[in-house]
Amino acid sequence: MDAKDRILDEKYRFAKELVAEAGDFLRQHLHDDLEIEEKTDFTDLVTHLDRQVQADMTQKILSRYPDDVIYGEESVNLQPLNQGAVWVIDPIDGTNNFVAQKTDFAVILAYLEDGQGQFGLIYDVMNDELYHGGGSFPVCLNQEVLPKYEEKPFHQGLIGMSAGLFHQEKPNFRHFALQSLGTRSYGSAGLSFCHVLTGRLMAHVTHVYPWDFVAAGILGQPLGYSLVRPDGSQPTYEGREYLLFVPTSKLEEVKGYLSQ
Ligand code: IPD
Ligand code: CA
Ligand code: CA
């Protein structure tokens, strides 16, 4: 193993510790009184624990790797994602679930070098399930290596989709969803992507920011999944965008449903 690989290996082990510590912290503070703020509207919440988790992760990363860059949901200034060593953080994905249900939320972390995904982690905190790997690492759920996508007809699979998207006409998410076995809505983009990785969902369609989806894209690629815009093009990584997480072998079929 050369020095570069050794550093990457060390960063991957460190990343797993970071998300495990963030998860422990959130479980310990689950029943604290929350300071809740609305961001864009009353459905878009942030708590003091979102900010605290990102601040703690940032401090730990930068004290060990001072030249690296943080791209986090709660960051004030966002640096470009495609230059240098960048850690992408969503400290609590599914904040509304965290506030209202105390379950079904995740900590998401991804690591990129000059825009190339090196590994991704999505931690289902309350189920203690860590999805991790991608790049040069096997994709695992805790200690188990996940199998690649196994082919089945589109109409035998479920689609992850929120009610809002179902009613949108362009792209035709409704027509797309009606070709499937049914829709499910989990309230966490990260966990919905994980349900695709394990085959519980055939696909997930969502409206997300880079901190929501970069880890999933890295995890999905080796297992045969693509993360693309409804026309099949690559994400722009600029702001919020509509994305599909689907088996690569189903892309043409899905594009057909969406364009009707
Ligand atoms: C949100 C959740 C939600 C998705 C939104 C995301 P947050 O993340 O993943 O399921 O529909 O697009 O912004 O704000 O809870 O980190
Ligand atoms: Ca999120
Ligand atoms: Ca978040």
Side-chain angles (χ1 to χ4, degrees):
M1 194 188 275
D2 66 19
K4 203 165 166 278
D5 289 342
R6 229 185 346 267
I7 294 170
L8 186 61
D9 225 56
E10 185 188 290
K11 284 189 170 178
Y12 183 44
R13 259 182 287 127
F14 173 62
K16 286 190 263 186
E17 284 166 24
L18 277 181
V19 292
E21 286 163 11
D24 277 346
F25 176 84
L26 288 169
R27 283 188 297 266
Q28 279 163 23
H29 292 271
L30 201 62
H31 300 291
D32 287 8
D33 285 339
L34 293 174
E35 290 162 30
I36 303 172
E37 279 171 50
E38 293 176 12
K39 285 174 153 179
T40 50
D41 63 45
F42 77 96
T43 67
D44 186 9
L45 304 178
V46 60
T47 75
H48 72 289
L49 293 178
D50 298 65
R51 298 195 207 283
Q52 184 69 53
V53 169
Q54 182 172 315
D56 290 350
M57 291 173 84
T58 299
Q59 187 272 327
K60 287 175 187 168
I61 294 168
L62 295 183
S63 58
R64 191 143 164 176
Y65 303 109
D67 296 332
D68 288 6
V69 169
I70 305 296
Y71 185 103
E73 179 172 12
E74 312 311 337
S75 302
V76 180
N77 293 311
L78 290 171
Q79 307 288 322
L81 262 178
N82 59 355
Q83 286 165 32
V86 182
W87 298 78
V88 185
I89 303 175
D90 188 342
I92 304 180
D93 178 59
T95 297
N96 293 4
N97 286 352
F98 179 74
V99 170
Q101 306 187 130
K102 309 288 181 201
T103 191
D104 287 331
F105 58 91
V107 177
I108 306 180
L109 182 61
Y111 176 67
L112 309 169
E113 288 181 354
D114 294 328
Q116 295 298 311
Q118 305 297 318
F119 52 76
L121 303 99
I122 303 177
Y123 184 39
D124 179 342
V125 173
M126 299 311 287
N127 288 314
D128 190 24
E129 289 184 336
L130 176 62
Y131 298 79
H132 59 100
S136 57
F137 303 99
V139 180
C140 298
L141 164 52
N142 290 337
Q143 312 303 327
E144 301 290 324
V145 176
L146 287 173
K148 288 193 174 173
Y149 168 67
E150 211 173 292
E151 204 54 52
K152 68 175 177 183
F154 189 79
H155 69 268
Q156 289 179 7
L158 294 162
I159 302 297
M161 180 187 282
S162 67
L165 291 190
F166 186 81
H167 291 288
Q168 192 166 303
E169 281 170 13
K170 272 193 178 10
N172 199 336
F173 291 129
R174 184 170 187 274
H175 179 71
F176 161 70
L178 291 175
Q179 311 311 309
S180 74
L181 192 58
T183 59
R184 298 291 180 271
S185 186
Y186 295 101
S188 154
L191 295 183
S192 307
F193 292 134
C194 291
H195 294 330
V196 176
L197 296 175
T198 56
R200 273 172 275 178
L201 292 176
M202 168 71 78
H204 181 51
V205 49
T206 183
H207 190 206
V208 275
Y209 293 94
W211 46 79
D212 297 303
F213 71 79
V214 170
I218 298 170
L219 289 162
Q221 197 270 334
L223 299 185
Y225 298 97
S226 292
L227 186 67
V228 292
R229 284 149 37 106
D231 64 1
S233 62
Q234 290 304 304
T236 63
Y237 299 92
E238 283 166 16
R240 201 175 185 193
E241 53 192 323
Y242 291 104
L243 293 179
L244 311 163
F245 193 47
V246 287
T248 307
S249 59
K250 291 277 188 280
L251 259 180
E252 287 310 309
E253 184 179 350
V254 163
K255 273 163 46 186
Y257 299 146
L258 287 165
S259 62
Q260 285 188 26

